[in-house]
Amino acid sequence: MEKKTQPSIWKSLRLGLGILAVLVVYAYGFQVTKVDLAEFRKESRQDSRIRVMRALVKPDIFEFDQEEFTVFAPIYVPCPNQMPQIPPPDPNQPYLVIPSQCGKPNQSIQVEGFNFQPNIKGPIFFVPSSDPNASLALQRGNIETDSQGHFLITIRLPNRPSEEVQYLKVVTRRNVGLPRFSQTAKDTWDKIIETIFLALLATTIGTLFSLPISFFAARNLMKEVKSPLTSISLAALGWPIGIALGLNAARLIQSFLAPWRHQSPASLVLGVGSALAGTLLLRWAVFDPRREQDNRSTKMLRTVAQLAGLVAWVLAFFALSQLGVKVGFSLASHLGRFAFLGNFIGQLSDVVTVLLTPAVALAGGAWVGSLGGELGTKWNDTLPAAVLKLLNSLFSAFAMATLFGLLGWGIGWLYEIKTIAYTLFYPAAVGAVLGALLALFTQPKQPLPIGLVIYTLTRTLLNAVRSIEALIMAIVAVIWVGIGPFAGVLALGLHTIASLAKLYSEQVESILPGPIEAITATGATRLQTIVYAVIPQIIPPYISFTMYRWDINVRMSTIIGFAGGGGIGFLLIQNINLLNYRAASTQMLAIAVVVAAMDYLSSAMRERFV
Amino acid sequence: MLEVRNLTKIYEGGVLALNRVSFQVPQGQFLAIIGLSGSGKSTLLRCINRLIEPTEGEVIWKGVNITTASPQELRLVRRKIGMVFQNFNLVYRSKVITNVLCGRLGYVNPAWSLINRFSQEDIQKALRQLERVGIADKAFQRADELSGGQQQRVGIARALMQDPEMILADEPVASLDPVLAHSIMRYLEQINKEDGVTILCSLHFLDLVHRYADRVIALNKGNLVFEGLPQEIDDQKFKEIYGREAERIG
């Protein structure tokens, strides 16, 4: 019997201890979060709460022209020995009745009003004889009429004795004419429009960049990408060389075009001409499966022509964007009200100019990298395994040394380490050893899952970026481009890239593999397969996610202003800090309306497209 | 002439899907491939156009060694080999005509094709192929609005767009009812007889094999266990192909 009861005691004890532990946890939670109902019940808190709530339910949207209406009543302070004759007030107009029409200083007297506007409020003042233009506010000096336009108020006379007649003054205001939008409403309108466009631009930027990235973050596509170590190392070596080449090419082209910067016709001719030349060259140079196989020299010639065509296109882009900047901004100064269109052309061209250099660098990297990769594949197919192993260890050591050297350079730049041994020699040496080891421990002809490596890197990067809230990114963006909506666009855009790329890539991962197989079997290239088998499957979810993201961005852009990112949040936080709750309420209302409308719009559009 | 020599495929994880399979198919033959599910039929067909990379062995077709072809050569080979699938593998959100035009991707200018532009010639050709398989009126509907049998006809039209000299059909009628199965098989037969296209077709039902095939090969656990005429499959052979407990139903 004892043996049976003992465990049950233990069990109860354990349960009791568990409950005690939970209680302690919550008790500590109360302590940490400072739960304090006494504060909550304090009268001053209650008063402010009620005041703020009442302000919040009265958003400052409309205002009226106001008509001021003033009523005077004579009074003697103190009562004179002989009361002068005071004419009775006109009973058809609003009038005040003071029982004895005099009183001692600091005496409380009753004042009655008749024939006022029903249900209005207004202040009551004391007008001293010494200064007829002054109005002394009285304590609790606000009248409030009933539905008959009558009021009764007890006031305390001020300590202003005088033998002359003095006056009590009641001022009432009433709205006249039609309501019109208040200044707050107009400001709110401007800012909410800014907010919507901020969200639109951020979503557009995010979508444009996350589209290509999403393919690199899709496991099912990247899993297939495998290369032998020779190709990977040569491609890795080719990338930095290509990027350097591309950067220099872009710089050369720009300096070539610089003399014509201010001559629009010349820029136009150069741009259109080189675009045409580039198109013709590329048409001839791109492999066309309708033709039979080329011989060796034609192949070489085609490669050269490809390069020339691409350079011509880059030249065309640079020339046309240069033209765009010039024409756009000069249009802006002539278009008057539509200056924003010219400005748009100018800024867009400027964006193209800015983006073109990194794009050319990347393209150069990709080109030289793929050349290296092709060379590697060729050697991999033709050379014997032993030779390949030797070459592999050499190339792989070189490639890893380059990679680590670049990383070390970056770290050295960030932390301002001046010792070249730490930033270049040691990392390069470590890279070389790692590369050689990699080559030693892999079969020379075995394809390595390089796609999965890229996939993992992309995913890690996306996750890291996504974990930083847009509000925090906005702080950095504000430092970079200054306070204003553009900082908000950058911050939201960056965050959108990371989250959309993840959502998109998950859609790519869930597509049916069958169509890809079928399209590949027709002899289509990898790009064609993506266009015909992957994209049709992902368009509906992509549209849906983009709409959803726009929705989120509208919501986010309403608060991005808290950090200086422009939009309505900027106004809202200002008004909250100024305790201007009626204006803040207007902005909150605007946010609620816009978010609700976006919600409805996006769901309606999603239904149409998906 | 298609020649398969010692074709072996070992999947990651060590599963032996094909074990030194060798056979020859003369141009214009209708070859049926039979065997249980998992016997390597699909792997064999996909190794021929290298949708699956074979581990060892060679596939030589019209004098070209497909197994060692470069990516560009491989695309030129693939565009002459149509393929028809059990699950049709259409792009369901695209129009029927777009699905059919996909068969032309190996021929067209790659740049234009990326923005969905095909020549008028190709579009007319696609419409003719759809007419040939009897669904010309469905050309501008979405592929997922079609019934199973119609979808497989789109699959055949897509293969025909390639001007194929060989068609690999991977259980083309396994997800269709018997009536539809025959209609699809008749299209394949017609393509084989009229256009002289070699057809390699994996099948489940022996009556279809007897009715349509010129010759049969049988796989069992990756091994080639039979090669001959359809009439030569007697009860003894049947048990060798499908195992001791199997019973003939068709």
Side-chain angles (χ1 to χ4, degrees):
Chain A
M1 282 297 270
E2 265 195 35
K3 272 197 174 173
K4 265 190 178 173
T5 50
Q6 212 163 5
S8 93
I9 284 175
W10 271 114
K11 232 180 201 172
S12 317
L13 208 63
R14 271 214 323 258
L15 186 69
L17 279 174
I19 291 173
L20 209 66
V22 170
L23 275 176
V24 167
V25 167
Y26 276 98
Y28 193 64
F30 266 56
Q31 168 73 24
V32 171
T33 55
K34 300 200 174 86
V35 176
D36 185 2
L37 286 192
E39 189 69 20
F40 171 79
R41 274 192 296 262
K42 249 194 214 163
E43 203 171 321
S44 61
R45 296 274 166 204
Q46 294 291 342
D47 279 351
S48 3
R49 177 177 64 82
I50 290 165
R51 188 167 44 79
V52 171
M53 277 173 67
R54 285 187 179 154
L56 285 179
V57 294
K58 274 184 285 185
D60 177 12
I61 302 173
F62 298 110
E63 61 183 14
F64 291 88
D65 281 327
Q66 284 191 321
E67 192 180 53
E68 214 176 70
F69 198 79
T70 318
V71 180
F72 288 95
I75 189 168
Y76 286 90
V77 182
C79 288
N81 292 333
Q82 182 147 23
M83 200 66 184
Q85 190 64 41
I86 294 172
D90 182 356
N92 298 319
Q93 293 287 321
Y95 62 95
L96 296 173
V97 174
I98 307 164
S100 56
Q101 296 190 320
C102 70
K104 288 197 274 293
N106 294 331
Q107 188 194 346
S108 288
I109 58 163
Q110 278 199 331
V111 179
E112 242 182 315
F114 297 94
N115 276 352
F116 278 81
Q117 280 248 296
N119 300 323
I120 55 164
K121 291 177 184 172
I124 178 164
F125 298 107
F126 182 83
V127 183
S129 58
S130 56
D131 182 7
N133 291 323
S135 296
L136 266 68
L138 295 169
Q139 255 186 352
R140 298 222 178 85
N142 271 307
I143 61 114
E144 200 174 338
T145 62
D146 61 14
S147 54
Q148 266 89 48
H150 166 258
F151 71 85
L152 180 68
I153 188 170
T154 307
I155 56 157
R156 218 172 91 166
L157 292 171
N159 191 9
R160 288 290 186 103
S162 165
E163 285 175 13
E164 314 258 326
V165 64
Q166 313 196 65
Y167 290 94
L168 284 181
K169 180 171 90 172
V170 169
V171 178
T172 59
R173 289 198 175 88
R174 67 175 183 160
N175 299 331
V176 290
L178 292 170
R180 54 191 167 78
F181 286 109
S182 65
Q183 190 55 41
T184 310
K186 284 176 192 157
D187 293 344
T188 306
W189 172 259
D190 280 350
K191 286 290 169 186
I192 201 81
I193 294 293
E194 186 181 298
T195 305
I196 293 170
F197 280 96
L198 192 161
L200 177 71
L201 282 193
T203 314
T204 312
I205 292 175
T207 311
L208 285 180
F209 281 93
S210 54
L211 272 173
I213 295 174
S214 67
F215 290 102
F216 291 108
R219 198 186 177 88
N220 56 342
L221 294 184
M222 296 308 282
K223 200 176 61 193
E224 307 290 322
V225 182
K226 286 181 180 172
S227 297
L229 188 57
T230 328
S231 330
I232 296 173
S233 320
L234 284 176
L237 278 173
W239 266 90
I241 298 173
I243 287 177
L245 278 178
L247 277 176
N248 278 314
R251 213 167 287 154
L252 267 177
I253 291 172
Q254 270 183 307
S255 61
F256 168 73
L257 282 172
W260 290 289
R261 184 171 297 149
H262 299 294
Q263 291 161 10
S264 301
S267 296
L268 183 69
V269 170
L270 267 172
V272 175
S274 56
L276 271 176
T279 313
L280 287 176
L281 274 168
L282 282 178
R283 262 184 83 159
W284 179 75
V286 171
F287 172 75
D288 188 336
R290 282 171 297 190
R291 287 194 297 257
E292 286 311 305
Q293 291 275 4
D294 294 325
N295 59 24
R296 215 181 167 79
S297 57
T298 326
K299 229 178 201 170
M300 286 286 283
L301 214 59
R302 279 191 207 279
T303 315
V304 173
Q306 270 178 31
L307 193 62
L310 286 177
V311 168
W313 262 103
V314 172
L315 187 83
F317 264 110
F318 269 123
L320 289 178
S321 63
Q322 181 175 301
L323 177 75
V325 171
K326 184 93 177 91
V327 170
F329 289 132
S330 76
L331 269 182
S333 56
H334 289 107
L335 277 179
R337 269 197 77 133
F338 295 97
F340 71 94
L341 288 175
N343 199 39
F344 173 67
I345 296 172
Q347 293 291 2
L348 207 62
S349 309
D350 207 18
V351 168
V352 171
T353 319
V354 169
L355 287 184
L356 211 50
T357 310
V360 169
L362 275 181
W367 186 62
V368 180
S370 78
L371 279 186
E374 270 174 39
L375 189 69
T377 317
K378 207 168 171 186
W379 283 351
N380 190 66
D381 288 345
T382 49
L383 292 178
V387 180
L388 210 59
K389 188 133 192 160
L390 194 71
L391 277 180
N392 268 354
S393 43
L394 207 65
F395 290 147
S396 154
F398 254 122
M400 288 291 260
T402 315
L403 200 68
F404 273 64
L406 282 174
L407 269 179
W409 175 81
I411 290 169
W413 181 79
L414 271 179
Y415 291 92
E416 296 180 276
I417 306 169
K418 297 284 194 294
T419 328
I420 199 160
Y422 292 149
T423 58
L424 187 64
F425 299 146
Y426 293 160
V430 170
V433 171
L434 282 178
L437 283 178
L438 185 68
L440 279 178
F441 286 106
T442 48
Q443 295 289 327
K445 300 213 172 192
Q446 180 196 0
L448 299 179
I450 183 69
L452 278 185
V453 175
I454 296 173
Y455 159 83
T456 314
L457 281 179
T458 318
R459 272 290 162 109
T460 314
L461 193 70
L462 288 182
N463 284 340
V465 174
R466 209 158 40 87
S467 62
I468 303 169
E469 260 304 318
L471 210 57
I472 295 157
M473 289 181 184
I475 297 170
V476 181
V478 161
I479 295 166
W480 196 10
V481 298
I483 288 180
F486 186 46
V489 168
L490 287 185
L492 273 183
L494 191 60
H495 198 255
T496 306
I497 292 173
S499 26
L500 268 188
K502 182 183 150 52
L503 289 174
Y504 284 170
S505 64
E506 269 155 21
Q507 284 310 309
V508 176
E509 281 174 3
S510 67
I511 59 171
L512 301 171
I516 300 178
E517 193 179 33
I519 303 292
T520 313
T522 64
T525 61
R526 203 172 177 75
L527 209 56
Q528 284 174 325
T529 311
I530 285 177
V531 170
Y532 282 90
V534 179
I535 288 182
Q537 295 195 60
I538 57 179
I539 280 181
Y542 269 37
I543 290 177
S544 156
F545 278 128
T546 310
M547 295 299 301
Y548 173 60
R549 190 65 217 182
W550 190 20
D551 204 48
I552 292 177
N553 277 349
V554 168
R555 249 176 295 152
M556 284 297 302
S557 61
T558 58
I559 60 158
I560 201 95
F562 287 17
I568 198 159
F570 197 57
L571 215 54
L572 181 59
I573 194 76
Q574 238 174 16
N575 281 322
I576 289 174
N577 287 340
L578 292 172
L579 309 183
N580 195 354
Y581 293 108
R582 284 195 61 200
S585 167
T586 312
Q587 279 121 35
M588 288 182 209
L589 190 72
I591 291 173
V593 168
V594 165
V595 169
M598 266 312 297
D599 209 47
Y600 172 76
L601 195 73
S602 73
S603 69
M605 279 175 86
R606 246 179 298 178
E607 250 168 55
R608 268 196 72 175
F609 282 112
V610 185
Chain B
M1 173 76 125
L2 173 77
E3 201 178 343
V4 175
R5 284 189 207 141
N6 292 327
L7 199 64
T8 303
K9 173 66 193 178
I10 303 167
Y11 282 111
E12 276 173 50
V15 179
L16 182 68
L18 289 176
N19 186 17
R20 302 177 70 77
V21 173
S22 304
F23 60 93
Q24 292 182 353
V25 191
Q27 182 64 31
Q29 191 171 63
F30 196 125
L31 177 80
I33 303 166
I34 57 172
L36 288 169
S37 297
S39 60
K41 303 189 296 289
S42 296
T43 308
L44 173 62
L45 288 173
R46 282 169 174 72
C47 278
I48 290 173
N49 64 357
R50 270 175 67 192
L51 284 180
I52 293 175
E53 284 296 332
T55 314
E56 260 172 57
E58 288 176 325
V59 178
I60 295 159
W61 185 52
K62 291 177 25 187
V64 179
N65 189 338
I66 298 178
T67 32
T68 59
S70 72
Q72 212 174 87
E73 289 165 349
L74 180 63
R75 284 206 298 277
L76 291 175
V77 169
R78 275 178 179 165
R79 71 180 193 182
K80 284 288 182 192
I81 304 177
M83 198 154 182
V84 180
F85 302 86
Q86 175 182 357
N87 299 319
F88 326 132
N89 285 356
L90 302 182
V91 182
Y92 292 106
R93 289 192 173 275
S94 298
K95 282 185 207 147
V96 167
I97 184 109
T98 312
N99 270 290
V100 178
L101 282 166
C102 280
R104 220 51 210 160
L105 286 176
Y107 292 88
V108 296
N109 185 329
W112 281 128
S113 72
L114 291 187
I115 51 168
N116 218 333
R117 254 199 57 168
F118 289 92
S119 68
Q120 203 54 41
E121 202 181 314
D122 282 341
I123 294 170
Q124 291 307 323
K125 188 180 167 85
L127 289 172
R128 275 202 306 280
Q129 305 302 349
L130 283 172
E131 211 166 305
R132 188 168 175 188
V133 293
I135 46 169
D137 53 326
K138 309 278 185 198
F140 294 98
Q141 287 187 11
R142 264 169 59 152
D144 54 3
E145 290 168 2
L146 269 56
S147 68
Q150 289 169 334
Q151 288 185 0
Q152 191 58 294
R153 291 190 226 182
V154 177
I156 291 175
R158 176 172 66 192
L160 284 176
M161 279 303 277
Q162 294 176 235
D163 292 326
E165 289 169 29
M166 176 159 76
I167 286 181
L168 307 173
D170 183 18
E171 295 184 18
V173 296
S175 34
L176 301 174
D177 65 51
V179 180
L180 278 173
H182 272 291
S183 83
I184 294 295
M185 288 307 290
R186 268 198 292 274
Y187 283 119
L188 288 178
E189 184 185 37
Q190 192 190 358
I191 294 161
N192 175 248
K193 295 283 179 294
E194 287 177 10
D195 308 354
V197 175
T198 312
I199 291 185
L200 271 66
C201 180
S202 62
L203 287 170
H204 269 312
F205 290 103
L206 276 180
D207 62 336
L208 291 177
V209 175
H210 284 291
R211 164 77 180 76
Y212 295 102
D214 297 332
R215 214 161 59 92
V216 187
I217 61 171
L219 292 173
N220 190 348
K221 290 179 185 158
N223 294 296
L224 189 73
V225 291
F226 174 81
E227 188 174 357
L229 298 174
Q231 305 86 280
E232 290 171 10
I233 305 178
D234 51 19
D235 282 358
Q236 177 60 31
K237 285 267 183 273
F238 182 83
K239 287 212 188 296
E240 274 173 34
I241 298 167
Y242 287 101
R244 291 263 159 253
E245 293 84 38
E247 273 184 49
R248 271 182 100 138
I249 47 167

